[in-house]
Amino acid sequence: MASNVRTRFAPSPTGYLHIGGARTALFSWAFARRHAGTFILRIEDTDVARSTPAAVQAILDGMSWLGLDADEGPFYQMQRMDRYKAVIGEMLAAGTAYRCYASTEELDRMREEQRARGEKPRYDGRWRPEPGKVLPAPPAGVEPVVRFRNPVEGVVAWDDLVKGRIEIANAELDDLVIARADGTPTYNFCVVVDDRDMGITHVIRGDDHVNNTPRQINILRALGAEVPLYAHLSMILGDDGAKLSKRHGAVSVMQYFDDGYLPEAVINYLARLGWSHGDDEIFTREQFVAWFDLDHITPSAAQFNTEKLNWLNAHYIKHSDDARLAADVASRLARRSVDPETGPRLESVVALYKERVANLNELADAAELYCVEAHPSDELLAQHLTDAGRAALASLKARLADVAWEKSALNQAIKDTMAEHGLKMPQVAIPLRVATLGVAQTPAIDAVLEVLGRERVLKRIGRYV
Ligand code: GLU
């Protein structure tokens, strides 16, 4: 049954989708899904100087990679200008907003005088209409801004679903400019009109917006709109406890894709960043949606923990099916200009490595060894492809030419070679690894040979004997 829960994610496209934004999106999405409600994507692109189409695309890419599908939108604020202007007109007509002709110089002077008197600088209401007050005649040739007529008395209060009750005295809020002299609406105003028009019931967003909330509530009330519930999420700190920033490196969501993380690992990780369900650390997207609530969001800041993310990523890789991993690895190889068709079936390669890697790039590194002829370092060659090593490889090569190509027979061929030359396992296995894959450490050598295939193995050994 669909409910009336409507949430939105409202990013400003001034940069990529970062980890904090992704968590906000995830919580808004999950809350809507949990209540069979509607999740809306709204692009807040009114900061024309800083918004870019590339950033919009990065946001859409990030959300789609994480599987955060919107039911409505994306809506673009720049396409809603007429709507905002119409509402400003309605407010002027209703007297909940008014034109202010004060020039910038005049307002600067006003603030300076207030500061000199030891007062907090604020708009003094000089153009605010009041019963019985006579306003000056509008100066000729001046385009006015439009200000919201904020209530002067009482408090604005809301029960924040994360932070608890918050109250601000109206005396602290001056009359906000809602339209600039050129008629363009301002940030807080657009948010309010959209939240109302889109019927948002729960505003889940970063707590950097707490200061905007009392103003937004006052404007919503002036419009006769229902005030949504607010849940302000605490910020995310970096591994080092400082505010999460670009300094912390991989903060763009798509950077995690590049770095070889699975989206379900990132989702699981973000879900636990400030929210908990008992001691559960590993859970599916479906479980998260079934469990998600706003009561278990912690009001304190969450700290990023790269180690934990890596642990989750390794877990999800280990439990992913081979075909899915193979498809991912194939595209990573293609991006490195390695043709996966030149190697053995990728499914069998990833099966051999998926329990040993921390990320998908490491899986692709391993797969690359199977596709591209081995290029061992001079050091490895000198250390392991000694005369004794080469002699062992030569007799092993002869055995491998007609052995049954499966692990136990391959293992027997290695053992026979050891016996023939009086060598221990590593004295045969390591030269074999270096010759076939170019590295000294691999999964069990019989499994490696089986996957690599007779033809490749003989050809690769053949370069040294
Ligand atoms: N556009 C704002 C931001 O990116 C979010 C506004 C909101 O959620 O109300 O920070």
Side-chain angles (χ1 to χ4, degrees), residues 8-14 18 21 24 28 42-45 59 77 187-188 191-192 195 203-206 208-209 212-213 216 230 232:
R8 84 307 196 271
F9 176 52
S12 303
T14 53
H18 54 79
T24 303
S28 302
R42 176 168 93 216
I43 306 289
E44 302 202 322
D45 54 354
I59 290 165
Q77 288 189 324
Y187 170 74
N188 274 295
V191 171
V192 163
D195 283 344
V203 170
I204 300 169
R205 63 182 173 196
D208 46 334
H209 291 283
N212 292 326
T213 308
Q216 294 181 2
Y230 293 90
H232 285 98

Side-chain angles (χ1 to χ4, degrees), residues 191-441:
V191 171
V192 163
V193 173
D194 286 350
D195 283 344
R196 180 184 78 161
D197 286 359
M198 296 170 190
I200 301 304
T201 57
H202 296 75
V203 170
I204 300 169
R205 63 182 173 196
D207 69 358
D208 46 334
H209 291 283
V210 165
N211 288 339
N212 292 326
T213 308
R215 298 179 179 287
Q216 294 181 2
I217 290 177
N218 279 340
I219 302 174
L220 283 162
R221 290 205 175 116
L223 290 171
E226 209 164 309
V227 177
L229 296 170
Y230 293 90
H232 285 98
L233 309 175
S234 296
M235 65 166 124
I236 301 173
L237 303 176
D239 279 298
D240 57 1
K243 193 170 184 291
L244 195 64
S245 71
K246 284 183 196 158
R247 280 188 303 106
H248 290 84
V251 288
S252 155
V253 161
M254 292 316 279
Q255 185 66 47
Y256 288 92
F257 165 76
D258 290 343
D259 291 349
Y261 289 87
L262 281 171
E264 53 268 48
V266 175
I267 288 282
N268 192 155
Y269 180 72
L270 290 177
R272 282 286 289 108
L273 213 44
W275 175 84
S276 57
H277 182 265
D279 292 333
D280 291 310
E281 289 293 356
I282 296 180
F283 40 81
T284 64
R285 178 185 293 260
E286 291 69 31
Q287 284 172 313
F288 177 51
V289 166
W291 295 339
F292 185 65
D293 59 359
L294 300 173
D295 303 340
H296 290 87
I297 294 179
T298 152
S300 53
Q303 187 156 343
F304 202 83
N305 181 341
T306 305
E307 239 174 74
K308 187 168 156 192
L309 172 61
N310 290 343
W311 169 72
L312 282 168
N313 199 42
H315 167 87
Y316 280 100
I317 290 175
K318 188 166 153 182
H319 291 90
S320 281
D321 73 67
D322 299 341
R324 188 249 176 132
L325 292 174
D328 182 281
V329 164
S331 67
R332 283 175 201 271
L333 290 177
R335 259 176 278 139
R336 303 174 181 187
S337 305
V338 172
D339 178 4
E341 296 297 317
T342 56
R345 271 180 67 243
L346 273 182
E347 268 100 325
S348 41
V349 180
V350 300
L352 209 49
Y353 285 86
K354 68 180 183 180
E355 302 204 1
R356 311 162 59 100
V357 296
N359 62 62
L360 298 165
N361 288 333
E362 287 183 16
L363 204 52
D365 291 343
E368 188 173 339
L369 302 177
Y370 289 73
C371 301
V372 177
E373 282 272 331
H375 293 291
S377 66
D378 291 343
E379 206 185 326
L380 281 181
L381 287 176
Q383 207 183 336
H384 301 292
L385 288 178
T386 54
D387 290 345
R390 285 173 201 254
L393 287 186
S395 59
L396 178 65
K397 183 171 176 256
R399 288 192 176 86
L400 293 181
D402 55 10
V403 75
W405 206 260
E406 48 83 27
K407 267 193 290 191
S408 61
L410 291 165
N411 200 26
Q412 193 55 53
I414 293 169
K415 289 212 169 106
D416 293 346
T417 307
M418 284 159 53
E420 180 190 341
H421 293 262
L423 297 171
K424 295 204 167 57
M425 183 57 137
Q427 294 170 302
V428 178
I430 298 180
L432 185 52
R433 290 184 163 108
V434 172
T436 52
L437 293 183
V439 292
Q441 278 166 5

Side-chain angles (χ1 to χ4, degrees), residues 439-457:
V439 292
Q441 278 166 5
T442 70
I445 189 62
D446 50 0
V448 167
L449 297 180
E450 186 183 57
V451 166
L452 197 53
R454 190 190 318 261
E455 205 181 311
R456 281 184 207 86
V457 169

Side-chain angles (χ1 to χ4, degrees), residues 139-218:
V142 176
E143 287 302 333
V145 300
V146 176
R147 287 184 185 271
F148 170 60
R149 202 168 180 282
N150 198 77
V152 279
E153 283 174 1
V155 293
V156 203
W158 76 97
D159 290 308
D160 196 277
L161 297 171
V162 175
K163 293 184 181 289
R165 188 158 186 84
I166 299 181
E167 285 187 5
I168 308 289
N170 273 318
E172 294 289 316
L173 309 170
D174 56 7
D175 288 353
L176 184 74
V177 173
I178 56 174
R180 301 181 188 88
D182 65 5
T184 57
T186 57
Y187 170 74
N188 274 295
F189 183 72
C190 299
V191 171
V192 163
V193 173
D194 286 350
D195 283 344
R196 180 184 78 161
D197 286 359
M198 296 170 190
I200 301 304
T201 57
H202 296 75
V203 170
I204 300 169
R205 63 182 173 196
D207 69 358
D208 46 334
H209 291 283
V210 165
N211 288 339
N212 292 326
T213 308
R215 298 179 179 287
Q216 294 181 2
I217 290 177
N218 279 340

